[in-house]
């Protein structure tokens, strides 16, 4: 039985790869694992049936037999641990890849989400104009640190891994801000992720929900 994930029935980004089901779709595509998608509305996410899958009423969720998971990072880790290609075989390299997964969602994504909050949820507050530059500078600090560590390498630690998948998935949220352009090697790193065939398949599948266009092989 193929796993089933949940995704937005209607998403603010209209399927541009920013909703977190994109990370799970990408991991499944990298693994060559077919999957099913159940679309949920914002109202349905607050209903008991969905809350039984995700206690915080969000997406994505992952169902595979008796296993139910929530949180995109945890789902990607589960996929990576059960399919070849997303985690190195060598123990120390494997541990480092997992560390990068945590870094993506804890250290790098946190200030990026603050930027979205500052712009869209707090943009009308009297102090928003003063706060926004502070938030952007925090992101710049993280990008500079990431840039220094990445250097001229293609990926974070040797071959592409789930750590890169999660990091690129997080950094995609910055494309419209222009902040990525301030660190050319990080911008190129994101572009390499987007160029992977598995990413393209996942992106097309997510976008098709909103365009109504059938997927082509």
């Amino acid at each position: 039985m193929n796993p089933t994930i949940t995704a937005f029935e209607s998403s603010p980004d209209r399927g541009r790869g920013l909703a977190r089901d994109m990370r799970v779709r990408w991991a499944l595509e990298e693994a060559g694992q077919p999957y099913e998608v159940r679309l949920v509305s914002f109202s349905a996410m607050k209903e008991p049936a969905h809350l039984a899958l995700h206690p915080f009423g969000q997406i994505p969720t992952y169902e595979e037999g008796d296993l139910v998971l929530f949180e995109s990072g945890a789902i990607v880790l589960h996929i990576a641990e059960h399919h070849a290609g997303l985690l190195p075989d060598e123990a120390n390299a494997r541990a480092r890849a997992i560390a990068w997964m945590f870094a993506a969602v804890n250290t790098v994504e946190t200030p990026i989400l603050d930027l979205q909050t500052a712009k869209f949820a707090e943009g009308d507050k009297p102090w928003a104009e003063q706060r926004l530059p502070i938030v952007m500078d925090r992101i710049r600090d993280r990008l500079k640190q990431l840039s220094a560590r990445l250097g001229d390498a293609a990926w974070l630690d040797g071959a592409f891994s789930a750590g890169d998948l999660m990091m690129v998935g997080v950094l995609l949220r910055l494309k419209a801000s222009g902040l990525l352009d301030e660190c050319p090697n990080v911008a190129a790193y994101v572009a390499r992720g987007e160029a992977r065939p598995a990413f393209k398949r996942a992106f097309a599948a997510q976008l098709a929900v909103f365009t109504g266009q059938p997927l082509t092989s």
Side-chain angles (χ1 to χ4, degrees):
M1 180 181 294
N2 293 335
T4 298
I5 68 170
T6 50
F8 285 132
E9 181 181 83
S10 177
S11 176
D13 81 332
R14 303 298 297 169
R16 291 185 293 122
L18 303 186
R20 288 180 177 85
D21 65 287
M22 177 64 193
R23 305 168 190 179
V24 177
R25 291 175 186 267
W26 185 6
L28 289 164
E29 293 288 353
E30 291 281 356
Q33 170 63 57
Y35 61 98
E36 308 294 332
V37 179
R38 185 171 65 254
L39 303 178
V40 293
S41 66
F42 287 111
S43 59
M45 286 191 290
K46 308 307 177 185
E47 294 296 327
H50 188 75
L51 291 172
L53 305 176
H54 196 310
F56 304 107
Q58 299 175 331
I59 59 98
T61 60
Y62 177 96
E63 299 166 73
E64 184 181 24
D66 294 334
L67 176 66
V68 177
L69 294 174
F70 61 98
E71 291 295 328
S72 61
I75 297 169
V76 171
L77 179 58
H78 170 76
I79 294 166
E81 287 182 327
H82 290 81
H83 298 275
L86 283 170
L87 287 175
D89 292 330
E90 196 274 322
N92 288 348
R94 191 181 187 92
R96 290 194 300 270
I98 294 171
W100 279 114
M101 293 181 67
F102 278 83
V105 295
N106 288 335
T107 304
V108 178
E109 188 169 34
T110 300
I112 294 174
L113 294 178
D114 281 345
L115 177 60
Q116 293 181 324
T117 299
K119 281 186 172 182
F120 302 111
E122 302 172 348
D124 59 345
K125 305 299 182 184
W127 36 261
E129 187 175 348
Q130 289 74 36
R131 182 170 185 261
L132 187 58
I134 297 171
V135 173
M136 294 183 73
D137 282 343
R138 287 175 183 156
I139 296 173
R140 288 188 175 98
D141 288 342
R142 288 290 179 246
L143 290 178
K144 289 175 184 176
Q145 292 165 332
L146 184 61
S147 174
R149 180 58 181 263
L150 182 64
D152 295 329
W155 306 111
L156 291 170
D157 194 281
F160 175 84
S161 76
D164 296 294
L165 186 153
M166 291 299 296
M167 187 66 75
V168 170
V170 165
L171 293 172
L172 283 171
R173 293 178 175 271
L174 291 177
K175 285 187 68 175
S177 72
L179 289 171
L180 283 178
D181 298 331
E182 298 178 14
C183 295
N185 66 329
V186 177
Y189 167 70
V190 172
R192 279 191 294 276
E194 293 179 286
R196 293 181 68 84
F199 178 93
K200 292 181 178 180
R201 291 192 298 271
F203 186 93
Q206 191 188 67
L207 184 61
V209 174
F210 303 95
T211 63
Q213 299 297 316
L215 295 180
T216 57
S217 58

